[in-house]
Amino acid sequence: MAVYTDITEDDLARFLTDYEVGTLLSYKGIAEGVENSNFLLHTTKGAFILTLYEKRVDPKDLPFFLGLMHHLADRGLSCPLPLSRKDGALLGELSGRPAAMITFLEGMWLRKPAAKHCREVGRALAEMHVAGAGFQLTRRNALSVDGWRPLWDKSAARADEVEPGLQDEIAEELAFLESHWPKTLPHGVIHADLFPDNVFFIGDQLSGLIDFYFACNDTFAYDVSICLNAWCFEKDGSFNLTKGMALLDGYEQVRPLNGAELRSLPLLARGSALRFFLTRLYDWLTTPPGALVVKKDPLEYLRKLRFHRQVKSAEEYGLVR
């Protein structure tokens, strides 16, 4: 979440007349994240999230994102729901951007998740993978292996500004992953961005998943590897084996990983670390001054990538069979 496009109170009040949400009381921008402009609204009928979809989001993908939330909720997964306008549409326009009103999900994201929370996340991720079956719309993962080189090409010339020698290291890593990436693993709808700030808890109980704007069709185990990267490393860069064990155990309680998925997990973790390194690197180098957005350090994911290069098996992530 972030704020790239500002809105005025008058424009927002007019926008809200198309919804049955009452009268606007207050609103404020949400600065976390990097993709869309988001605002927390309070009206006479409750709290809502307003999302303005920025230029990096293809408007053609919005029916997939919004429809997926309804599909998953209908199958018991706790997630926000897009509100219908009075004319039945899920999308409107505000400040020149496609915009949607989303229900507010109670809870908060954890700044210091423990192993018990990682187990809940693993279980919820597997439940999402199962619940996504039967969703009729599809969306290619533009940020999978075939999308990394175009993204890298936008940053490669300046990479050594971030760390000397980085240009050669990433070029070699990218070539390796392109030639070894698995293509026949079980697949379906994945979240593709299940970081701690996209999972809400009330106490120690997971209350729901949010921010499905990277969701797509891809390999389930790749989604697992994203969560290992996002949830199981400490601030000093060390991998927490106890958290890894809990996350994988929670996942396998719902959907056991097969042998091919387990053998591929270290490689997939390298790939997901590279994916987030590349997007962070691009944003680090190109985010305009004055944007209300928290830029994220790309070197965090470079360190994770280097860790995964040394991993030989899923057992080193805490898998217990």
Side-chain angles (χ1 to χ4, degrees), residues 1-8 11-12 27-30 34-39 50-56 93-99 288 290-293:
M1 296 181 178
V3 175
Y4 293 95
T5 300
D6 200 7
I7 57 176
T8 69
D11 287 345
L12 177 56
Y27 72 99
K28 65 178 180 179
I30 302 172
V34 296
E35 190 65 17
N36 300 309
S37 294
N38 291 271
F39 300 84
L50 166 67
T51 297
L52 276 63
Y53 299 100
E54 298 293 344
K55 294 180 180 179
R56 195 155 70 178
E93 184 177 301
L94 180 60
S95 297
R97 299 283 188 266
L292 181 56
V293 59

Side-chain angles (χ1 to χ4, degrees), residues 4-305:
Y4 293 95
T5 300
D6 200 7
I7 57 176
T8 69
E9 184 173 350
D10 288 344
D11 287 345
L12 177 56
R14 284 191 292 271
F15 176 81
L16 294 181
T17 61
D18 290 326
Y19 295 86
E20 298 287 357
V21 295
T23 303
L24 179 68
L25 298 176
S26 66
Y27 72 99
K28 65 178 180 179
I30 302 172
E32 293 164 334
V34 296
E35 190 65 17
N36 300 309
S37 294
N38 291 271
F39 300 84
L40 174 61
L41 276 55
H42 289 277
T43 77
T44 52
K45 290 193 176 181
F48 304 90
I49 299 295
L50 166 67
T51 297
L52 276 63
Y53 299 100
E54 298 293 344
K55 294 180 180 179
R56 195 155 70 178
V57 175
D58 187 341
K60 294 179 182 177
D61 288 333
L62 293 177
F64 177 92
F65 300 141
L66 301 178
L68 177 62
M69 285 187 266
H70 277 288
H71 177 90
L72 295 174
D74 287 346
R75 284 151 182 80
L77 194 80
S78 179
C79 63
L81 289 176
L83 298 182
S84 295
R85 293 165 19 122
K86 293 176 181 177
D87 62 4
L90 295 178
L91 277 172
E93 184 177 301
L94 180 60
S95 297
R97 299 283 188 266
M101 290 284 289
I102 311 292
T103 57
F104 180 79
L105 184 68
E106 292 291 344
M108 59 184 296
W109 70 272
L110 302 176
R111 271 64 175 178
K112 296 182 179 179
K116 59 188 174 183
H117 305 121
C118 293
R119 179 173 282 104
E120 291 298 307
V121 169
R123 183 181 295 113
L125 181 68
E127 289 172 348
M128 181 199 155
H129 290 168
V130 173
F135 184 53
Q136 295 300 308
L137 300 179
T138 60
R139 177 177 181 264
R140 183 182 70 87
N141 185 359
L143 290 172
S144 189
V145 61
D146 58 352
W148 297 339
R149 185 167 294 279
L151 185 58
W152 169 239
D153 288 343
K154 296 177 182 179
S155 303
R158 296 180 60 195
D160 284 4
E161 296 176 21
V162 178
E163 182 178 293
L166 196 53
Q167 185 171 2
D168 289 342
E169 179 181 356
I170 297 304
E172 182 177 344
E173 178 70 20
L174 180 56
F176 176 85
L177 291 172
E178 287 173 335
S179 63
H180 291 82
W181 198 249
K183 302 184 184 301
T184 59
L185 298 178
H187 62 278
V189 176
I190 70 169
H191 187 283
D193 194 40
L194 201 60
F195 278 64
D197 57 352
N198 288 332
V199 181
F200 281 6
F201 285 83
I202 299 176
D204 290 330
Q205 184 68 39
L206 192 151
S207 60
L209 310 182
I210 68 168
D211 201 350
F212 289 84
Y213 301 115
F214 286 101
C216 56
N217 296 87
D218 207 334
T219 299
F220 293 135
Y222 176 65
D223 220 11
V224 175
S225 79
I226 291 173
C227 286
L228 288 172
N229 274 311
W231 289 85
C232 300
F233 283 85
E234 300 301 323
K235 290 189 180 296
D236 64 2
S238 63
F239 182 78
N240 187 315
L241 190 64
T242 303
K243 290 183 178 180
M245 184 183 302
L247 191 145
L248 292 173
D249 178 65
Y251 187 90
E252 290 209 301
Q253 287 178 14
V254 177
R255 182 190 170 271
L257 296 160
N258 69 26
E261 289 175 301
L262 294 175
R263 288 189 295 273
S264 297
L265 197 56
L267 180 67
L268 294 170
R270 285 173 67 170
S272 58
L274 179 66
R275 171 260 185 271
F276 287 101
F277 167 79
L278 290 175
T279 50
R280 287 185 175 198
L281 178 66
Y282 177 79
D283 289 336
W284 189 266
L285 295 172
T286 63
T287 297
L292 181 56
V293 59
V294 179
K295 293 197 297 184
K296 297 179 179 179
D297 182 7
L299 294 182
E300 175 189 350
Y301 271 80
L302 179 64
R303 292 188 287 269
K304 293 177 181 181
L305 171 57

